[in-house]
Amino acid sequence: MKDNLRRTLAGYQRSFASFTTGQKVVAVVGTAALLLAGFMVFRWAAAPNYAPLFSSLSSSDASAVIEQLEADGVPYEITGGGGTIMVPRDQVYATRISLSGEGLPSDSGKGGYALLDNQDISTSQFKEQTDFKRAMEGELATTIEAIDSVDTAVVHLALPPEEVFADEQDPATASVLVATSPGADLQPEQVQAVVHLVASSIDGLDPDMVTVADSTGRVLSTNDGAGGAASTRSQQVEDYQDELNGRIQQMLDRVVGPGNSTVQVTANLDFDKSVTESTTYEADEDDPPLSSQTQSETYSGGQPGAGVGGVVGPEGQMETGATDGSGTYSQESTTRDNAVDTVVEHRETAPGSVESLHAAVVVDVNAPTKVDPVEVEELVTAAVGINPRRGDTVEVSALPFDRTAEDAAAAALEEAAADEAGSQRAEWIRNGVLILLVALLVLVVWLRSRKRAKARVQATTYVVEQLRQDQAERAAVAASRQRIDTSPATMALERADRDADVEVRDELAALVERQPEEVAALLRGWLVERH
């Protein structure tokens, strides 16, 4: 076995030494490429598939988990800025169970309600209150971190002691510091969710007394409620303006083509809440009265011969009344209660109504499709509901557009596409050349091995035939010698000849194995000389 291996290696060395310089380069490069490809495939196949074991760990918990993993001999990777630990996917659940038995992760950085487990009867009131506040802060921070885009959160509560009288009680306050994921921001509704979540978790905490800030120091919600309200109103105005802009822009793109017009809409919204109460009385004369009362008084008769009657006036004169000489008096009065309809109206106006709209439209004067600005103005007015009585305005202008930035961007895109195509083409060429070199190397090796095998067969066949002939001749000679001389000396000489023949035959076979091409060339030369 050892001799065969040595002969094989020696054959490879002689074959490589017989290559030309180009063949040697091709052989070395092809062999290196094959070895590198095999190494990469083996590494890819042998690399374990990692999955998260724990994420968002505190520094102390991460250190304890890593120390335990190293003690258990479990491979791991650290990602997520040190807060996420990855282990092979097939070991995730077993590792979690093992670490749970060790009390890991302990979540010592957050605390939570676990802080209350160590309290006993000897715990002071101050420590109880402090542990309760820390537990609430930890639980709230963990809950806030469950919101999308929030990586970490820190909550601080200010809970004043309870007073006997309510008017002497100081209000509770809270502050929340959040760190968002890279490239993400909290939306106004998410900020309001954080505010109300904290306020609902603490007894007596008003949402206006919760302050939310991000890791950049920007206040997202102040304790007076103005910050959140202003942010919400601004977002509503922007959303409404974007909706109108998109509606008009979509219409103009169908008319003048994309990129040939621009729109800007400014909306003034009324966020004041107003309450109106009005009472209206309505009556119809044709309707019968609800009630009617008539009162009449009549007096007849008098003193005979009395021609003058009346009452004494302010200065003692006698005034004549509603009587005549005969002493007759009459009086009639009527009272009616008519039906009156009473309408009481209580109206509340919701915030967010439109006070005014102002739209500006610019159309490229060099656009392929020519349009009339008056027609565009009419289309915009109808599309967004412009009301001149409300003070709305629309301005449409036709101006030349500056295409410098667009041309530069298009040129940059074309250049980038050309570079990408060139790099991809170069990569294809490089891979093709490499594949071609490997194929050529394999072809050369195959042809040489085939040639060597053919030469080995020819040489072996010729040598075997020669050896057979020589052996036959020696056998004939030995037979004749036996007939002539059978002495021990003669027998010893014959055995020595046979051993020499075997040794020569073995050497010839080894020579054919080592140098088949040279032996084949030598045999072909002998054959030519014989003929």
Side-chain angles (χ1 to χ4, degrees):
M1 180 68 181
K2 186 176 181 180
D3 294 338
N4 293 332
L5 181 62
R6 186 183 298 109
R7 286 195 297 269
T8 301
L9 294 177
Y12 287 155
Q13 291 177 356
R14 286 190 298 270
S15 298
F16 184 77
S18 63
F19 286 173
T20 62
T21 304
Q23 292 175 341
K24 290 180 179 180
V25 172
V26 172
V28 171
V29 173
T31 304
L34 291 175
L35 292 177
L36 180 60
F39 172 75
M40 296 300 295
V41 171
F42 175 77
R43 182 177 180 182
W44 173 78
N49 188 11
Y50 282 86
L53 178 65
F54 297 110
S55 60
S56 301
L57 291 175
S58 61
S59 57
S60 57
D61 287 341
S63 176
V65 170
I66 291 173
E67 184 177 355
Q68 187 64 35
L69 292 178
E70 291 178 349
D72 296 341
V74 178
Y76 64 90
E77 290 182 356
I78 302 175
T79 59
T84 302
I85 298 178
M86 311 278 287
V87 297
R89 184 177 296 276
D90 56 348
Q91 301 182 21
V92 171
Y93 301 107
T95 306
R96 285 179 182 173
I97 296 174
S98 176
L99 293 177
S100 298
E102 301 294 335
L104 295 174
S106 62
D107 202 14
S108 58
K110 290 294 181 185
Y113 289 127
L115 294 173
L116 305 179
D117 296 339
N118 299 325
Q119 292 186 355
D120 52 23
I121 193 172
S122 62
T123 304
S124 63
Q125 183 179 4
F126 174 76
K127 190 175 187 306
E128 287 182 355
Q129 295 176 353
T130 304
D131 290 345
F132 175 76
K133 187 170 75 70
R134 291 176 56 196
M136 290 300 300
E137 291 174 349
E139 292 295 330
L140 287 173
T142 303
T143 305
I144 294 173
E145 288 175 356
I147 299 177
D148 293 341
S149 304
V150 177
D151 279 347
T152 57
V154 180
V155 180
H156 294 289
L157 301 176
L159 305 177
E162 295 184 359
E163 300 291 343
V164 178
F165 300 100
D167 56 352
E168 297 179 358
Q169 180 67 43
D170 293 332
T173 59
S175 60
V176 182
L177 178 65
V178 294
T180 58
S181 304
D185 290 326
L186 285 183
Q187 300 298 323
E189 56 271 16
Q190 291 178 311
V191 176
Q192 293 301 313
V194 172
V195 170
H196 289 283
L197 187 148
V198 174
S200 301
S201 302
I202 304 300
D203 185 20
L205 179 58
D206 190 90
D208 292 341
M209 305 304 293
V210 179
T211 301
V212 181
D214 60 8
S215 57
T216 62
R218 183 165 54 97
V219 177
L220 304 179
S221 176
T222 58
N223 56 8
D224 58 357
S231 178
T232 303
R233 293 176 181 178
S234 300
Q235 187 66 34
Q236 290 180 1
V237 173
E238 291 180 2
D239 293 342
Y240 185 67
Q241 292 179 163
D242 292 341
E243 179 184 358
L244 297 181
N245 287 334
R247 192 183 305 173
I248 298 174
Q249 190 66 61
Q250 183 179 5
M251 178 183 63
L252 293 177
D253 289 343
R254 295 293 300 272
V255 176
V256 298
N260 294 318
S261 63
T262 181
V263 181
Q264 184 63 47
V265 177
T266 302
N268 296 325
L269 303 183
D270 184 10
F271 291 97
D272 295 335
K273 181 179 180 181
S274 61
V275 178
T276 304
E277 293 185 359
S278 60
T279 304
T280 304
Y281 300 95
E282 297 179 356
D284 192 350
E285 296 180 355
D286 297 334
D287 294 339
L290 294 176
S291 62
S292 177
Q293 180 180 1
T294 303
Q295 183 179 2
S296 61
E297 183 179 358
T298 304
Y299 176 76
S300 302
Q303 297 180 358
V308 179
V311 295
V312 180
E315 296 182 357
Q317 304 95 337
M318 182 67 69
E319 296 183 358
T320 301
T323 61
D324 52 11
S326 62
T328 300
Y329 172 79
S330 65
Q331 183 180 2
E332 183 178 353
S333 63
T334 302
T335 303
R336 288 185 178 182
D337 294 332
N338 294 324
V340 178
D341 295 335
T342 303
V343 178
V344 180
E345 183 179 4
H346 179 86
R347 178 177 297 179
E348 294 185 2
T349 303
S353 61
V354 179
E355 288 186 345
S356 62
L357 291 177
H358 305 279
V361 179
V362 180
V363 181
D364 188 8
V365 70
N366 298 321
T369 304
K370 304 300 180 181
V371 294
D372 186 4
V374 177
E375 295 181 354
V376 174
E377 182 176 350
E378 294 176 354
L379 290 174
V380 173
T381 300
V384 299
I386 297 296
N387 187 2
R389 296 181 180 179
R390 193 173 52 191
D392 299 349
T393 59
V394 177
E395 293 291 338
V396 179
S397 302
L399 299 173
F401 278 19
D402 184 7
R403 304 286 184 177
T404 304
E406 296 181 5
D407 296 340
L413 290 176
E414 292 179 358
E415 184 178 358
D419 294 340
E420 184 178 0
S423 60
Q424 188 174 9
R425 186 166 52 252
E427 184 178 0
W428 288 349
I429 293 174
R430 182 172 61 253
N431 295 336
V433 170
L434 181 60
I435 294 174
L436 180 61
L437 290 176
V438 173
L440 290 176
L441 176 62
V442 173
L443 180 62
V444 170
V445 172
W446 179 74
L447 291 176
R448 290 184 64 85
S449 63
R450 184 178 179 182
K451 184 177 180 181
R452 288 166 60 87
K454 185 177 180 180
R456 187 183 296 109
V457 171
Q458 293 177 354
T460 303
T461 303
Y462 181 79
V463 170
V464 169
E465 292 295 332
Q466 293 296 325
L467 290 177
R468 287 179 179 177
Q469 294 178 5
D470 293 343
Q471 187 175 7
E473 293 176 356
R474 286 191 179 93
V477 173
S480 62
R481 287 180 179 179
Q482 286 182 356
R483 290 192 298 269
I484 298 174
D485 188 4
T486 59
S487 63
T490 304
M491 297 294 292
L493 290 174
E494 291 178 356
R495 285 195 301 272
D497 291 338
R498 287 197 299 271
D499 293 339
D501 292 341
V502 171
E503 184 177 358
V504 170
R505 186 167 59 252
D506 292 340
E507 291 180 356
L508 288 175
L511 180 62
V512 171
E513 182 69 23
R514 289 194 305 269
Q515 300 178 353
E517 295 180 359
E518 289 79 356
V519 173
L522 180 61
L523 293 178
R524 284 195 295 270
W526 289 351
L527 292 175
V528 171
E529 291 178 356
R530 287 186 178 183
H531 294 287

